[in-house]
């Protein structure tokens, strides 16, 4: 779990699980470069992480994973600041709920573009730096939706299924360079989930919580990103995970196990 001196890029670091990872990895001694399109929120997360007095240091860079030239430039700038690169946590993504019969091409292209093509771009951007480093870690964010399907979000499910296939293929192709490529499928309580709950009626919320209690064996509710997710990410980008690649790790209290 030792992260002192590790140089890690985190995408989507302005909010949610990725923001937790920025704070946690800095506290653990890593040098972190957070990349997000949300400049103000991303810069604030970095400022908070640095002010907490951890052993590491964070910087923020504005870029979108769907802008290939812009994202490559942000990665190059981050690597120059950190003096190299040891790993990528690619958490940037988008979710949309919409019935399959109502989807249009714009819905499909947006979700697939950010989640699937964005993963390709992010992984490609760090590849030459990890190769030059003699190896490193890539952790892509998948979802249980990519494993079992989410009826209310079929295009999201398809995009995360693509991430899983891409991750397994890359793990085989880039192993020769000492690069491990794994995926996580998290189920965490974030501000986005709070917003989703806020849109439910009292009766719908009761039904939703009852469903979650049945679906999640450990505690019956989503996990805490700081306690339940960030330590897993720290392990996967650290030296202890050097012999793990091509795997998908659900961090979901047992949800995927029960399906």
């Amino acid at each position: 779990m030792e992260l002192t001196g590790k140089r890690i890029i985190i995408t989507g670091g302005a909010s949610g699980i990725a923001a937790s990872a920025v704070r946690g990895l800095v506290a653990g001694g890593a040098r972190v470069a957070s990349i997000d399109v949300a400049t103000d929120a991303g810069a604030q997360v970095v400022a908070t992480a640095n002010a907490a007095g951890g052993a590491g240091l964070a910087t923020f860079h504005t870029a979108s994973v769907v802008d290939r030239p812009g994202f490559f430039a942000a990665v190059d700038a981050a690597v120059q600041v950190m003096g190299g690169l040891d790993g990528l946590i690619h958490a940037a993504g988008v979710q949309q709920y919409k019935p399959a019969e109502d989807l249009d091409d714009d819905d499909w292209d947006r979700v697939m573009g950010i989640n699937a093509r964005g993963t390709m771009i992010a992984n490609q951007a760090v590849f030459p730096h990890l190769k030059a480093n003699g190896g490193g870690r890539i952790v892509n964010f998948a979802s249980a939706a990519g494993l079992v399907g989410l009826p209310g979000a079929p295009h999201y499910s398809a995009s995360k299924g693509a991430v899983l296939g891409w991750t397994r293929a890359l793990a085989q192709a880039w192993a020769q360079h000492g690069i491990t490529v794994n995926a996580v499928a998290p189920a965490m309580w974030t501000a986005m989930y709070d917003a989703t709950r806020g849109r439910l009626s009292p009766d719908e919320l009761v039904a939703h919580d009852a469903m979650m209690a049945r679906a999640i064996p450990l505690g019956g509710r989503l996990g805490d990103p700081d306690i339940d997710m960030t330590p897993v990410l720290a392990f996967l980008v650290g030296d202890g995970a050097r012999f793990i690649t091509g795997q998908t790790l659900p961090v979901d209290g047992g949800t995927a196990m029960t399906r």
Side-chain angles (χ1 to χ4, degrees), residues 210-218 220 252-256 258-259:
M211 178 273 293
M212 296 296 281
R214 293 189 301 270
I216 305 177
L218 278 176
D252 62 3
T255 305
T258 63
R259 297 192 176 190

Side-chain angles (χ1 to χ4, degrees), residues 73 132 160 202:
K160 291 302 185 178

Side-chain angles (χ1 to χ4, degrees), residues 115-245:
N115 293 349
R117 186 161 62 90
T119 298
M120 175 186 70
I121 290 172
N123 289 183
Q124 289 177 329
V126 302
F127 171 72
H129 301 290
L130 294 179
K131 182 180 177 181
N133 188 52
R137 313 276 177 264
I138 294 175
V139 182
N140 291 322
F141 269 52
S143 168
L147 293 168
V148 300
L150 184 60
H155 52 329
Y156 174 74
S157 301
S159 72
K160 291 302 185 178
V163 170
L164 292 174
W166 167 265
T167 295
R168 294 176 184 131
L170 241 58
Q172 298 176 67
W174 291 356
Q176 63 181 310
H177 304 296
I179 300 170
T180 66
V181 190
N182 293 292
V184 292
M188 297 291 129
W189 195 306
T190 64
M192 183 180 297
Y193 179 58
D194 278 327
T196 298
R197 291 176 63 85
R199 291 191 291 269
L200 300 177
S201 70
D203 288 344
E204 289 173 334
L205 191 58
V206 169
H208 172 78
D209 286 344
M211 178 273 293
M212 296 296 281
R214 293 189 301 270
I216 305 177
L218 278 176
R221 56 179 281 157
L222 297 178
D224 182 314
D226 293 339
I227 299 171
D228 301 317
M229 192 70 225
T230 293
V232 176
L233 296 173
F235 167 70
L236 288 174
V237 297
D239 294 335
R242 63 174 296 276
F243 205 55
I244 301 172
T245 197

